[in-house]
Amino acid sequence: MVKKSRSPSRILLALALGGLITELSAEPLIVATEGVYPPFSYVDDNGQLTGFDTDIARALCRQMERECELRQVAWSDLIPEMEAGRIDFSVASMAKTEDRSRRVNFTDYYYRSHSTFAGDPDRFSDISPKALKGVRLATGRDTIQADFLQNHYTDSEIILTDDLPQTLELLKSGKADLALSDTINLLDFLQQPESLQFDYIGDPLQAEELHSKAHIAVRKGEEQLLEDLNEALEDIRLDGSYERINRKYFPFSIY
Amino acid sequence: MRSTGERRFHPSLAHAVHFAVFGLLLLLVLTIWLAFPLLEGIAEKARETRDVHVPAITRWRHNTQRSEQLYNFINTLYRSEDPARVRNVRLQSQVLTNGFSFEPDKQLAKQAARVMQAVLPLTNTRLEQHQLERAMAMRANRIRQFTDRLENLFLNREPPMLAAVTVSHLTFTTAAETRYASLHATNWPEVIDNIRATEESIANLLVYHNEHSEAANDLLALLEQQRLDATQILSLQSEADAFYKSAISEQRHLSSLLNSDATLSAQDLAQRMEDDAGRIQVLAWTYIIAFLVIGSLLIFGFNYLVLRPILKASNALELASSGKPIPSSDKQPTLFSELNMISRNVQRYGDTTQELRRLNDELEQLSQLDGLTGIANRRHFDAALKQEFNRAQRHRQSLALILLDIDHFKQINDRHGHLQGDDCLKAFASLLKRFTQRSGEMTARYGGEEFVLILPLTPLQEAQALCEQIRSETPELSLLSGQGELVTLSVSAGLAYTDTPTLCSAEELLEAADSALYEAKNSGRNQVVTRVLGHPPPRTKQNAR
């Protein structure tokens, strides 16, 4: 009975301590996303960072009950910034490769997608390296797609860009013949009224190195954060939050 | 009193306590041992639910949603009149069906590809139809312009007015019908018939009016093209229908592949977990009940088998030390050997105490009796006289003392032997005993052949009468000697009496009796002489005859 009467005060103490700890750790998490990767992350007409990735990042922060500050970071700077400790984690449709795993930690995947070529269907249908000999292929720098092209399409002309809009611009302006990117990104591009002449070329690529799973990257040393993120990811996936965000951007599940 | 029979089995109390503690521990260990695999099983099943079934259910739900979405896409492709929408939906369908290749079940990806094999030609057919429609709409505008010209050219001419009106009307209708044609709403065979009717009426009109054949021929060419396109749309429509049907049937097949028993498995697991939990509950209750029952039995057993024998033994000890006999119910053996030993020892102690007491009594008795005759001896007599005299003095009561001596006893001894003498003494003693039956009265052997009687509360006359009676009955103690001779006894007695014991002493009383006996002996034996102390009455002498 003594114990029982003491327990409320204990709870209060725990709450106070917990509050103190929360107070100490109340420094907001810095979350990075690319911002030029529609519909996963882009800057909307009001200048706000938005997209599937940013919504997922916000949902995770809400689930973890942590304050987050979203920051737009260029693709090639994402991992260096995380290594420098200026970013806590990034939700940027990043595939988990061996090289990257040495530099940052990865959570479980949060969506899946293929890589596909896009271009003029009247000019191209065969996407074998032999058929694309001498063809100009555009893709983003430091991406798994860039590695893949450099390894397999040695006879093609490979153009590396800083981000997806640049790649698509090259395609539209005729400076590149084919663009290689994520199927869902390309879907967004192909649905634009000005993209009518373009289409998916060939089936999605099935190569092992084009991992097809997007993960959240977490700064090394933040093991607790990694664990919390994985837990929050499972929670939002099962409580319907993920589904709502998915439906907002895509008419079908991409998990 | 051992009707229940002696119990043979007597375990040690220490062993019994060890055994009970060990048994309870064993029961606890057994319960835990039985509950542990069940708990492990529940944990295992919970893990399986989380790691296998929940993901499977989630996956199944996603795939079902994808499949339903695909169904919506096919219907949109088939029904939409907007080519841009058709293209977007086709692109989405492609990405959606690609998604099935992530599934571990490769058959899903294959079936999804089969759906796409029907969706792509459906899309192409639809787009082709839309293109034809667009071309027809543009042509309809030109045909519409011809309507106005036709009116100008033919309406004011003679004859026949009616034909021209008909042509004008038909052309207008055709233009309108094809301008706003819809794949689904338009009745294409009727449109084709109308165009053909228009063509025929124009041809008929040309029979009469050849002058405008150039313009009419242009119109006819347009109308023919319109008819051909409409026919093409109609024929493509049946193809589209076929592709649509095929796409829908493949999609149905895809849906049927998605049937999953994950929910059933999860439910089954949940059921089994509930069963396991129930079993643990039963185990726990069994343990609690067993614990209560065994505990009660132990308490009862302790009370009955340990505490009670100890109390009994303590009781018995108390009884034994106060000299009372131990009740036989306490002598029954108990279950435990240690308690039995205590009980037996108490018993033995009680028995020993009893025996000692009895021997003591016996010894005391022996010290007070005369060995030959069994009546009180001289020592006992001295004590008794003192006691009786004191009592008489205290209560101012009378006291009579009779001293008796068998006459000529020495001669009997010499003549018949000591054994015969002893027999005489015994016979005489038992005779005397008959006269001293009341409480306080006593017969004692005074020494040799001398006996003494103490008679408290006996009046003088009665005491004298008693003396007389003894004297007269003594000769009747006829004894046969070893040689067959009849031995006849006689006795002399001295009676000392006082009814005022305060005026004399016990010694004086005894002396008086002695001197009375002496006198009786001297006066010829076989007679009683009385002396009264205190206020001496007149001296009397009675002679027995």
Side-chain angles (χ1 to χ4, degrees):
Chain A
M1 278 329 222
V2 174
K3 249 187 182 176
K4 222 172 200 178
S5 66
R6 263 179 64 181
S7 61
S9 64
R10 271 192 186 175
I11 289 167
L12 279 179
L13 184 71
L15 277 178
L17 272 176
L20 194 67
I21 289 162
T22 317
E23 204 66 41
L24 287 173
S25 65
E27 209 174 301
L29 290 169
I30 309 296
V31 186
T33 189
E34 203 189 346
V36 284
Y37 197 64
F40 291 101
S41 71
Y42 56 97
V43 180
D44 67 8
D45 298 337
N46 303 323
Q48 288 288 311
L49 260 182
T50 183
F52 179 80
D53 284 352
T54 56
D55 283 8
I56 289 290
R58 288 193 183 102
L60 290 174
C61 290
R62 204 177 311 123
Q63 188 65 39
M64 293 190 296
E65 295 176 341
R66 293 292 299 270
E67 209 171 308
C68 288
E69 188 191 314
L70 271 173
R71 215 174 264 180
Q72 187 180 352
V73 175
W75 173 259
S76 297
D77 294 337
L78 279 171
I79 290 180
E81 285 288 293
M82 253 184 280
E83 285 179 313
R86 284 189 284 272
I87 297 172
D88 293 308
F89 69 97
S90 75
V91 186
S93 305
M94 196 178 276
K96 177 182 178 179
T97 66
E98 240 173 79
D99 284 344
R100 288 172 187 166
S101 293
R102 274 195 282 275
R103 304 169 68 183
V104 289
N105 289 327
F106 285 101
T107 64
D108 300 332
Y109 74 89
Y110 70 103
Y111 78 84
R112 291 183 293 190
S113 175
H114 291 103
S115 293
T116 316
F117 281 113
D120 187 344
D122 294 337
R123 290 174 59 204
F124 302 99
S125 59
D126 188 349
I127 50 163
S128 65
K130 205 185 260 176
L132 297 184
K133 189 174 177 183
V135 173
R136 295 166 298 170
L137 309 175
T139 198
R141 186 174 290 115
D142 297 330
T143 61
I144 48 172
Q145 286 90 357
D147 289 345
F148 173 74
L149 287 182
Q150 279 163 345
N151 287 337
H152 295 89
Y153 289 76
T154 44
D155 292 334
S156 308
E157 187 186 330
I158 296 159
I159 309 168
L160 297 180
T161 63
D162 290 339
D163 51 40
L164 185 67
Q166 276 187 22
T167 310
L168 298 175
E169 199 48 53
L170 287 178
L171 182 67
K172 278 193 280 188
S173 62
K175 287 175 187 155
D177 298 312
L178 289 175
L180 179 61
S181 185
D182 179 271
T183 311
I184 296 173
N185 289 114
L186 290 175
L187 176 66
D188 188 67
F189 163 69
L190 292 173
Q191 288 186 0
Q192 308 295 321
E194 69 266 24
S195 315
L196 276 179
Q197 62 182 107
F198 301 111
D199 205 332
Y200 290 121
I201 306 296
D203 285 330
L205 296 167
Q206 298 292 345
E208 188 64 35
E209 57 218 273
L210 293 170
H211 294 262
S212 77
K213 281 179 185 167
H215 300 259
I216 295 162
V218 186
R219 188 146 62 89
K220 281 268 184 205
E222 295 278 358
E223 312 299 336
Q224 185 58 47
L225 180 61
L226 180 71
E227 204 174 294
D228 291 350
L229 279 168
N230 271 330
E231 211 169 285
L233 192 59
E234 191 175 7
D235 288 345
I236 64 165
R237 223 162 44 66
L238 294 178
D239 76 358
S241 317
Y242 181 96
E243 205 82 354
R244 268 194 294 283
I245 297 167
N246 188 142
R247 286 276 153 192
K248 186 171 158 191
Y249 294 98
F250 314 104
F252 43 80
S253 166
I254 62 167
Y255 182 75
Chain B
M1 284 311 279
R2 292 194 174 170
S3 55
T4 49
E6 194 165 348
R7 273 179 277 187
R8 295 259 171 88
F9 178 61
H10 293 299
S12 136
L13 178 60
H15 285 166
V17 168
H18 291 168
F19 186 75
V21 169
F22 180 73
L24 280 177
L25 272 178
L26 197 70
L27 192 64
L28 183 67
V29 168
L30 189 72
T31 311
I32 291 170
W33 185 70
L34 284 175
F36 210 74
L38 288 174
L39 285 172
E40 185 57 42
I42 288 178
E44 177 64 36
K45 284 173 193 121
R47 268 198 296 275
E48 191 184 331
T49 306
R50 194 194 57 204
D51 296 344
V52 179
H53 295 292
V54 168
I57 290 169
T58 313
R59 211 163 49 227
W60 169 71
R61 191 165 57 88
H62 282 158
N63 285 335
T64 314
Q65 281 174 354
R66 277 197 193 117
S67 182
E68 279 165 11
Q69 190 64 49
L70 195 54
Y71 176 81
N72 290 339
F73 284 166
I74 293 167
N75 277 308
T76 309
L77 287 173
Y78 181 67
R79 304 209 184 281
S80 176
E81 303 280 349
D82 176 6
R85 176 116 184 87
V86 169
R87 174 186 152 85
N88 284 352
V89 168
R90 189 262 298 166
L91 286 167
Q92 289 175 4
S93 308
Q94 259 176 294
V95 179
L96 185 148
T97 46
N98 286 343
F100 279 108
S101 69
F102 296 126
E103 292 308 311
D105 185 358
K106 289 301 157 207
Q107 205 170 348
L108 288 178
K110 266 187 207 158
Q111 186 55 35
R114 236 175 253 138
V115 179
M116 274 319 282
Q117 274 166 17
V119 166
L120 288 175
L122 172 64
T123 314
N124 290 338
T125 311
R126 271 296 182 237
L127 287 175
E128 211 176 318
Q129 283 180 312
H130 285 307
Q131 257 170 3
L132 287 168
E133 257 187 333
R134 218 164 36 241
M136 282 179 74
M138 265 144 63
R139 225 175 276 128
N141 275 339
R142 288 170 64 194
I143 291 169
R144 176 74 180 80
Q145 286 163 12
F146 269 100
T147 317
D148 298 339
R149 276 173 67 188
L150 275 175
E151 277 178 22
N152 291 334
L153 289 172
F154 297 110
L155 278 182
N156 299 327
R157 298 296 175 90
E158 294 281 335
M161 280 276 288
L162 193 64
V165 171
T166 312
V167 167
S168 170
H169 175 71
L170 281 173
T171 315
F172 184 83
T173 315
T174 305
E177 270 179 357
T178 52
R179 174 72 182 82
Y180 302 109
S182 147
L183 285 179
H184 300 282
T186 305
N187 186 345
W188 290 100
E190 201 182 293
V191 167
I192 291 165
D193 285 349
N194 280 346
I195 296 170
R196 192 171 283 128
T198 314
E199 283 178 276
E200 277 168 14
S201 63
I202 290 171
N204 284 341
L205 203 62
L206 280 177
V207 175
Y208 300 98
H209 303 287
N210 237 350
E211 65 269 28
H212 300 300
S213 62
E214 200 182 317
N217 279 336
D218 284 353
L219 180 58
L220 275 178
L222 278 176
L223 283 171
E224 192 190 359
Q225 193 57 48
Q226 205 73 330
R227 181 165 50 79
L228 287 175
D229 280 2
T231 313
Q232 179 68 8
I233 286 176
L234 190 60
S235 79
L236 283 175
Q237 185 59 35
S238 60
E239 272 180 46
D241 286 344
F243 287 133
Y244 170 72
K245 264 183 206 154
S246 149
I248 291 291
S249 102
E250 295 294 355
Q251 185 274 336
R252 288 222 176 100
H253 190 201
L254 179 64
S255 285
S256 74
L257 287 180
L258 289 175
N259 290 334
S260 154
D261 61 349
T263 316
L264 182 67
S265 309
Q267 205 209 344
D268 183 43
L269 270 188
Q271 183 64 48
R272 272 153 60 200
M273 277 192 259
E274 194 187 338
D275 293 349
D276 283 357
R279 259 174 235 134
I280 291 173
Q281 231 168 11
V282 168
L283 267 181
W285 276 117
T286 311
Y287 179 73
I288 289 168
I289 289 168
F291 195 86
L292 287 178
V293 168
I294 292 174
S296 313
L297 282 178
L298 281 181
I299 290 171
F300 175 77
F302 178 77
N303 278 340
Y304 187 79
L305 296 172
V306 179
L307 212 52
R308 210 178 60 136
I310 288 176
L311 286 176
K312 269 188 183 174
S314 136
N315 244 353
L317 266 181
E318 223 164 277
L319 283 177
S321 42
S322 65
K324 287 171 196 143
I326 295 166
S328 57
S329 67
D330 291 359
K331 293 178 186 169
Q332 282 169 19
T334 59
L335 181 65
F336 295 113
S337 54
E338 293 97 327
L339 297 176
N340 251 346
M341 207 188 295
I342 293 174
S343 169
R344 259 203 312 278
N345 286 339
V346 167
Q347 186 66 40
R348 212 170 287 153
Y349 170 74
D351 288 351
T352 313
T353 313
Q354 283 287 94
E355 182 66 17
L356 276 175
R357 203 171 285 272
R358 196 181 59 73
L359 284 173
N360 244 1
D361 288 353
E362 217 165 278
L363 273 177
E364 194 177 308
Q365 208 129 47
L366 281 176
S367 68
Q368 290 181 346
L369 292 184
D370 175 58
L372 179 65
T373 56
I375 60 175
N377 58 17
R378 173 71 186 267
R379 181 148 41 109
H380 194 186
F381 163 77
D382 287 344
L385 175 64
K386 206 176 230 170
Q387 202 179 349
E388 287 305 322
F389 190 85
N390 283 346
R391 184 184 294 157
Q393 229 172 14
R394 212 160 42 243
H395 300 292
R396 299 176 188 282
Q397 289 163 345
S398 67
L399 186 66
L401 199 64
I402 305 166
L403 210 53
L404 302 119
D405 187 89
I406 299 169
D407 298 333
H408 307 299
F409 185 72
K410 199 177 169 338
Q411 286 142 340
I412 295 170
N413 258 347
D414 294 344
R415 201 163 146 196
H416 303 288
H418 284 286
L419 287 177
Q420 188 67 35
D422 286 350
D423 285 347
C424 289
L425 288 173
K426 279 185 209 166
F428 187 66
S430 57
L431 166 76
L432 289 180
K433 257 166 105 179
R434 272 182 23 227
F435 292 96
T436 52
Q437 295 297 316
R438 290 189 300 185
S439 121
E441 295 179 343
M442 183 187 218
T443 307
R445 189 172 172 198
Y446 195 63
E449 68 280 14
E450 263 182 298
F451 293 84
V452 65
L453 299 183
I454 303 172
L455 299 170
L457 276 172
T458 309
L460 180 60
Q461 288 77 14
E462 208 175 300
Q464 284 174 331
L466 193 137
C467 283
E468 257 331 295
Q469 205 171 344
I470 292 169
R471 195 198 57 81
S472 61
E473 280 186 23
T474 301
E476 292 167 23
L477 291 172
S478 19
L479 291 156
L480 275 175
S481 72
Q483 294 83 20
E485 262 181 85
L486 193 66
V487 182
T488 307
L489 299 175
S490 70
V491 70
S492 305
L495 167 63
Y497 175 85
T498 176
D499 51 2
T500 53
T502 45
L503 296 180
C504 61
S505 68
E507 287 74 24
E508 281 171 349
L509 197 62
L510 191 56
E511 269 168 33
D514 196 40
S515 84
L517 176 62
Y518 187 73
E519 193 183 322
K521 284 271 181 199
N522 284 343
S523 314
R525 296 188 173 89
N526 196 18
Q527 53 186 297
V528 178
V529 177
T530 304
R531 292 243 200 291
V532 177
L533 277 82
H535 48 98
R539 218 169 131 187
T540 54
K541 188 167 144 193
Q542 286 181 3
N543 292 326
R545 282 294 122 199

